[in-house]
Structures are given as structure tokens and as C-alpha cells.
Amino acid sequence: MFCGKWITAREERDNLHLLFEKRFELNAFKNAKIRITADDYYKLYINGRFVCQGPAPGYGFSYNFNEANLAPYLKSGENTISVHCYYQGLNNRVWISGDGIFGILADLYIDGRLALCADSSWQYRIDNTFLGGKPFGYDTAFPENRDMRKGLSAPKRAVEVPCPHSFAKAPFPALEVYEICAEGQKRGGRILYDFRQEYVCMPVIKARSQADGARLILRCAEELNPDGSPRFNLRCGCEYEETCALKKGENLIEQFDYKALRYAELVADSGVEIEEFKILVRRFPFPEKSQELKTDNAQLSAVWRLCKNTVKFGAQEVFVDCPTREKGQYLGDVFIAGFAHFYLTKDSRLLKKALCDYASSLQLCGEFLSVAPCSYRQKIADYALLFAPAVLKYYRLTEDYELLKSLFPACEKINAHFAEYENENGLLQNVESGWNLVDWPENMRDGYQFNTENKKEIGTHSVINAYYAHSLKCEEEIARICGISVKERAEKTARAFNECFFDESCGLYVDCVGSEHSALHSNILPLAFGLCPEEREEKIADYLEKKGMECSVYMAYFYLWALCNSGRKEHALALISGNGKNSWVNMLNEGATTAFEAWGKERKWNTSLFHPWATAPILIINEHFPNLIDK
């Protein structure tokens, strides 16, 4: 795969910024290509010009790399290749980090021949300007406090070590990166920038200082405080305030890691002149001609644009659950945002990678992880049981039979794992091997009754069993498509589900065995998954319609799906563009440019204002209202 050597540095610490460099001569050439990867992450520059960054997160047994065309950046004569390599060292949802593995690997081809590769002839320097601080979010990222006076260390020869990874069969697409500027508004000694919508980006500042040690503060925010200042202490728990000590003269401060922001404020000491401020927006490649909606309903159009914008910038090298607090790829979020991205773009690459990432977590640790690929190991039972449905849905949309067949063993293993929790009725009981989510936040569970205090005595509750019955059904359908012997457990489980959870006296499904309470969630999933006998559908649909969308923005997809399955399509469409307190229009009324984690800013104690799991309207319209899609 690579001809070069894995090169690293002698130093190891968290939040380590390394600059690997190599100068080389070139004669006239026509074509130039580089194959490159790094751990944890790199940014590539040729002759001082940015080329690309990566790689996409991946497990070490199928590590990702990029390829890029270098012809526009190289010249005849002397050239310099520079790779900014970053080792974060935190155990989080972003990368496989905290393992002491860092470095780069690169091969440069000129006119089809290997011309240069990474080896010990390269030099590295440590960028000492990065000071770090208390990490943002859930140990997601270090703040980029800087001291520009410290500069780079003296150069040292790179160290060759055995390559720590095996690689994917093909390169993964690099992100699109482009700049956006906004005109600053001066308010005393402060300058406020409004980029008109929220972006995922890296801020870049050019500042001239008359003295060493002058201070420059950068504050980034998703919204403004009542006094018009940026709310840099984000609702989601990230405190986006960073300080830079400047050197005398010109300072170029380009942040390495990304943030989500709409607003930014610069506060500078006297004698500091801001010459330029911009953001470098990043996203997975998104086609200019993507799917559009055709409707005269202005509110429906606004909701569509809101969701599309969220998907567009929420698709990074993974589908992030939010680009601030976690930056992780959760399967429940992918079940919505991943398929929304596919509908909008007809590009299956990122969604395929996501499904493979989850299956690979079994290879990593023998357990199915609900956030992958990363060093943080989290298991959510509801999400694991969405894997087989996601794989089957992907096949129906792409007809990728080879992927379907390759992922079937993971579907089988997941259901086999949960089968260990079956009681005498064949239903799941006391599933303590993963978080029983039901819905999130907790205040959106509609009073759903199950034991949250003792994780080993959760009981036999309806939501997890609805997911299980549906997962078994999807596994069996995949097996039949692949010509594999079917175990025929789904029908028995669905029958047991109806016998145990349906209450004849009220005509609804109850929350758990022994309960008389019928939460919205207990009745959403049987309708959405086709578990409910036809003669029961109308009364349950009446109940859902009367109850309203008293669930989270995540569960809203299943709620709308259930309405559509039971002949209430027009009501579902009306809810998408409706004005209720639980609505996308409410987000818009609160100033949203990307969809929120909850229905409103005050509806969750640590609400993210950028959460792609809230983009159910794109799926519902594609799956149930194809006449509204402008093809």
C-alpha cells in the first residue's frame, strides 16, 4: 500500500503539534499525486499552500488514507512539503487517540513513478505556540490558546518506526475546505463578526502587534446574549474563549481543530491591528446540484432548508452527532442524518463507511459499539438494534449486495447477543449490556415506565423489545436475500410482543410487563415497524395523532413514520411544517440556521444548536412524499 516509512517524533505528550518537512528538487513533470495518512490527523501544505487534510477516523486494522493531485502546487526546481501532524491524546468520540501512536506516512508519485516518500531524511519541529487548557465538551478538543512568541523548536530528524496500521483497500475522500469572510462590526475595543448562519470551520486571524506579549482574545458562539455579545459559553457545554499572546509584528493564527459557530468576536489590546479574519469551512464533499423540494408551502420550504443545511455541514469525515460537544458518530443519529445525506446527495460513500465502522467495532473489542470509530467505548442497546434495519435499508437504496453480505454476520451477532437476555416468552428482559435509551432527553419520554435506577433490573419493557423484533425481522430478510438459512425467530417474537404489551382494555400498548401506562413511545414503534396487527392500527393512530409529537426530535422520525404507515400521511406532513411547540418551525422562530438537539433552546439543559439527528423531515418526505421531490 505504502512504500514510505511511518515517521514519528521522539517526544510524546497530549495536544502535540508536529511539523514534518522535506525539501526536494523536481524537473519538468505532467502529473503528481500523493498518498498520505497520519495519526491522529494531518494538514498537508506544498510550498506553503494548503492541499488537503485527514484522514477520516478509522480503526487500525482498516486505517484510512487520502490521495490528492499535487500538480497545481508543485513547480520545477526546489519544493517543500510540510505536514502538520496532530496527536490529541484524549479518550473521546473523535479519533482513536490516547494510545501513544502518532506520526505520518506519505508517498509522492511524479508521472506515475515514486519520487519521494516519508523516511528518516525528513525533519520535524514541535509547534510550541499551542498551550492547551481544559478540554471542551466531553474531553472532545483542547482549546487553542497560543503564545506566538514561542514559535517552532529546532529541527530534528524524523524517527522511523514499524507502521502501526493496516490500511483500507481504497483512499477515502478528503474534505472540502473553503474560506468565508464577514465584515466586522466594531464595538469599542471589540470586533463582532456575523457569518449569517452556523458553520463547521476553523477561524483564521491575521494580526499585527506593536509589542511582544500583546493579548488577543477570540470568542466564538452559536448565538448572541441579550446585550449583543457572543454567548461563547455554549449551551452544549463548550466554552469557546481562547487567548493568544502575540509576537511583535505579523501574526498568522490559524486554528487547527474545528468548531461550530455563527458569531465570532475579537478583543485585542491596544497596539494590535486586525488585518484579516475569516473562517475555513469544512465538510464532506456535497454536490452543487443536490436534491430540492418543490412546494408552495413557505414553512415547509424553510424547514427543508434548515434540515438540508444541518446535514450539509454535519457530514464531516463521519456523521457527527454535533460538531461541538461530542463530534462523534452515533448509530441512532446516522439512522436519520446518514440516510438524509444519501437522499440529498445520492452519494453513499460516507454512509457505507459508517456502517462498516460499526461492524468493525466487533472486530475491535468483541462488542458492538454505538459510537464508532473512536477510542471511547459506548454501548446503547436501542442503537445496536438499529444496525440490521440500517443495513437492509442501505441495500434497498443502493443494491450493494456485496456490502449486504459482508455485514450480515454483524447483524447476526448483534441479535445473538441480545438473545441471551430473552425470558421464557422470548422477549428481552433486564438488558444491562447497554444503555436503554428509549428517548433523549429524559423529559421527552412521555412518562415511559421502566427501571432506570438498577441497570440489572430494567425489566421487560416495550421499546427495547420493539427494536428487537424489528431487528430480527430485518436479519431474516437479509438472510433470505443472501441465500442464507433463516432461523425464523422474528414472527414468534412479534407475537410475544403483542401478547405481552397490548392491553385489550384500552386498545394500546403499555410500557412494560405489569404496567398500565401507555406512553407515546410504546405505541410509536409497533406502528412504525409493522408489528401492530391491522385491526389495531386505527385506534393507536388516533392516539398518536391526539397525543401529538410529545417526543424528542430523534424519536420524531419514528413518530412521523408510524403516522405514515397507518394512513395519516397528510397529518404527518402538516406536523413537519406546523407551528407547535414541538416543531421545526419553533426552532426557526428561535433563530435556528441548523436544527437543534431539542425542540427549543430551553428544552434541554445542555442543548446543542447543531444536531443532525433532527433532520427527519428529509427522510419522511423522501420515503412518503416522493411527489414533493424536485428530481
Side-chain angles (χ1 to χ4, degrees):
M1 181 64 68
F2 281 90
C3 298
K5 303 294 184 181
W6 186 269
I7 57 173
T8 185
R10 294 176 176 83
E11 296 81 357
E12 179 187 343
R13 65 168 186 259
D14 294 349
N15 197 33
L16 179 62
H17 289 264
L18 297 166
L19 188 66
F20 290 95
E21 288 185 329
K22 176 70 175 181
R23 293 181 182 176
F24 59 99
E25 295 282 338
L26 275 185
N27 296 320
F29 65 93
K30 293 182 179 179
N31 302 305
K33 179 184 76 172
I34 194 169
R35 180 175 292 167
I36 183 169
T37 192
D39 196 339
D40 295 336
Y41 204 72
Y42 77 86
K43 292 186 179 181
L44 171 65
Y45 300 84
I46 299 291
N47 297 323
R49 295 171 61 195
F50 172 77
V51 180
C52 63
Q53 61 187 61
Y59 294 119
F61 47 79
S62 184
Y63 206 70
N64 291 300
F65 64 96
N66 305 113
E67 287 186 354
N69 175 21
L70 295 189
Y73 305 92
L74 294 170
K75 60 187 179 182
S76 295
E78 186 179 78
N79 293 266
T80 302
I81 180 170
S82 301
V83 184
H84 185 159
C85 175
Y86 180 55
Y87 174 67
Q88 187 190 64
L90 298 175
N91 178 13
N92 59 26
R93 299 157 176 84
V94 184
W95 293 304
I96 313 294
S97 196
D99 53 5
I101 298 174
F102 58 96
I104 68 167
L105 188 57
D107 292 342
L108 172 60
Y109 291 86
I110 302 296
D111 294 333
R113 295 184 178 183
L114 182 67
L116 178 71
C117 59
D119 59 26
S120 59
S121 70
W122 290 46
Q123 293 184 326
Y124 75 88
R125 293 182 289 170
I126 299 172
D127 191 335
N128 293 309
T129 67
F130 289 89
L131 304 179
K134 182 182 177 181
F136 297 139
Y138 296 159
D139 278 348
T140 304
F142 284 101
E144 297 195 15
N145 298 310
R146 306 280 293 273
D147 187 339
M148 304 306 289
R149 298 167 298 178
K150 291 182 177 292
L152 300 173
S153 70
K156 296 181 181 178
R157 290 179 68 87
V159 180
E160 292 182 15
V161 296
C163 184
H165 302 310
S166 300
F167 293 97
K169 294 179 181 178
F172 196 70
L175 296 175
E176 292 180 343
V177 180
Y178 58 94
E179 66 179 54
I180 292 181
C181 298
E183 186 174 345
Q185 295 182 344
K186 292 187 177 181
R187 302 175 60 185
R190 305 179 178 189
I191 308 175
L192 179 68
Y193 300 85
D194 180 0
F195 291 93
R196 315 304 299 174
Q197 71 162 67
E198 189 155 356
Y199 288 104
V200 178
C201 60
M202 293 83 64
V204 180
I205 308 165
K206 284 185 180 179
R208 180 172 293 279
S209 176
Q210 294 179 8
D212 270 346
R215 191 176 64 159
L216 174 65
I217 299 173
L218 169 65
R219 296 173 178 147
C220 299
E222 297 178 298
E223 58 184 319
L224 297 177
N225 289 311
D227 65 359
S229 64
R231 181 172 175 164
F232 61 86
N233 195 340
L234 275 57
R235 294 174 186 268
C236 69
C238 296
E239 189 169 335
Y240 278 171
E241 181 182 54
E242 294 151 309
T243 302
C244 184
L246 303 177
K247 64 183 179 181
K248 185 177 180 180
E250 192 75 34
N251 294 261
L252 175 61
I253 307 156
E254 180 175 327
Q255 295 214 322
F256 187 87
D257 207 349
Y258 69 85
K259 294 177 169 63
L261 63 89
R262 172 177 172 174
Y263 300 96
E265 181 183 66
L266 294 177
V267 184
D269 286 349
S270 60
V272 175
E273 178 187 358
I274 306 301
E275 296 182 337
E276 182 182 33
F277 181 78
K278 62 185 177 182
I279 56 174
L280 298 177
V281 178
R282 49 173 275 167
R283 68 184 187 207
F284 190 78
F286 199 90
E288 288 186 20
K289 293 185 178 179
S290 55
Q291 191 181 73
E292 296 291 353
L293 188 71
K294 54 179 182 180
T295 179
D296 294 329
N297 184 326
Q299 289 197 167
L300 185 60
S301 292
V303 169
W304 174 272
R305 288 193 302 271
L306 175 72
C307 293
K308 183 175 180 179
N309 206 44
T310 308
V311 171
K312 185 177 186 178
F313 295 105
Q316 294 293 315
E317 286 142 323
V318 296
F319 293 108
V320 294
D321 82 318
C322 72
T324 48
R325 185 179 57 233
E326 288 102 341
K327 298 185 178 180
Q329 180 172 251
Y330 279 88
L331 178 51
D333 302 57
V334 170
F335 197 74
I336 298 171
F339 285 100
H341 185 270
F342 176 79
Y343 285 133
L344 289 170
T345 66
K346 299 301 181 288
D347 184 344
S348 63
R349 294 174 295 179
L350 194 57
L351 182 53
K352 180 178 180 178
K353 177 188 180 297
L355 296 176
C356 292
D357 287 339
Y358 297 119
S360 294
S361 70
L362 286 164
Q363 184 178 343
L364 174 75
C365 60
E367 297 180 296
F368 187 86
L369 303 179
S370 298
V371 54
C374 61
S375 53
Y376 183 78
R377 300 185 181 184
Q378 186 170 15
K379 295 178 287 183
I380 301 175
D382 311 47
Y383 288 3
L385 291 167
L386 282 174
F387 184 72
V391 170
L392 180 59
K393 184 173 183 175
Y394 180 87
Y395 170 74
R396 288 171 175 164
L397 292 170
T398 65
E399 298 183 349
D400 188 340
Y401 176 77
E402 291 305 316
L403 185 71
L404 183 76
K405 195 168 183 178
S406 70
L407 295 181
F408 175 73
C411 301
E412 201 172 28
K413 190 165 184 178
I414 291 166
N415 286 332
H417 165 77
F418 283 98
E420 296 176 8
Y421 294 93
E422 287 185 3
N423 61 18
E424 66 277 5
N425 297 315
L427 295 175
L428 302 185
Q429 180 173 312
N430 297 336
V431 178
E432 46 81 27
S433 65
W435 180 15
N436 288 223
L437 180 73
V438 179
D439 204 356
W440 193 253
E442 291 175 299
N443 61 6
M444 299 308 296
R445 289 177 179 160
D446 190 35
Y448 184 84
Q449 291 182 351
F450 80 120
N451 192 333
T452 59
E453 301 300 322
N454 185 345
K455 291 185 177 180
K456 293 190 177 182
E457 295 295 334
I458 295 167
T460 304
H461 65 99
S462 63
V463 164
I464 197 70
N465 277 286
Y467 280 122
Y468 184 51
H470 187 53
S471 180
L472 289 172
K473 179 182 176 182
C474 292
E475 178 197 330
E476 291 179 11
E477 187 168 346
I478 295 170
R480 282 190 285 269
I481 294 169
C482 295
I484 299 169
S485 177
V486 177
K487 296 179 181 177
E488 303 289 357
R489 296 157 53 206
E491 186 176 343
K492 177 184 174 183
T493 304
R495 188 165 55 249
F497 179 89
N498 279 282
E499 290 172 356
C500 288
F501 296 113
F502 188 75
D503 186 341
E504 294 283 355
S505 64
C506 64
L508 299 171
Y509 290 94
V510 295
D511 300 346
C512 59
V513 172
S515 172
E516 296 181 355
H517 185 263
S518 296
L520 185 69
H521 302 67
S522 300
N523 293 275
I524 288 173
L525 297 181
L527 275 185
F529 294 158
L531 299 173
C532 179
E534 187 175 349
E535 64 272 15
R536 298 174 178 172
E537 286 185 1
E538 186 173 359
K539 183 166 185 178
I540 294 174
D542 286 342
Y543 169 75
L544 297 187
E545 192 170 321
K546 182 178 179 181
K547 188 86 171 180
M549 205 155 46
E550 291 296 321
C551 57
S552 75
V553 291
Y554 161 71
M555 188 56 68
Y557 170 56
F558 300 91
Y559 175 81
L560 296 170
W561 179 4
L563 288 178
C564 291
N565 270 9
S566 55
R568 312 293 173 97
K569 285 186 174 183
E570 293 308 314
H571 183 66
L573 188 63
L575 287 172
I576 289 174
S577 60
N579 295 307
K581 63 183 177 67
N582 290 0
S583 70
W584 288 271
V585 172
N586 186 67
M587 296 183 199
L588 290 165
N589 290 339
E590 292 189 15
T593 61
T594 51
F596 299 165
E597 183 181 10
W599 293 115
K601 293 178 179 179
E602 303 293 342
R603 303 290 293 279
K604 183 174 182 285
W605 71 273
N606 62 345
T607 308
S608 153
L609 302 189
F610 190 148
H611 229 80
W613 78 343
T615 54
I618 292 173
L619 276 72
I620 294 298
I621 290 171
N622 271 276
E623 293 163 3
H624 300 281
F625 300 92
N627 59 305
L628 294 179
I629 300 300
D630 188 354
K631 298 179 180 179

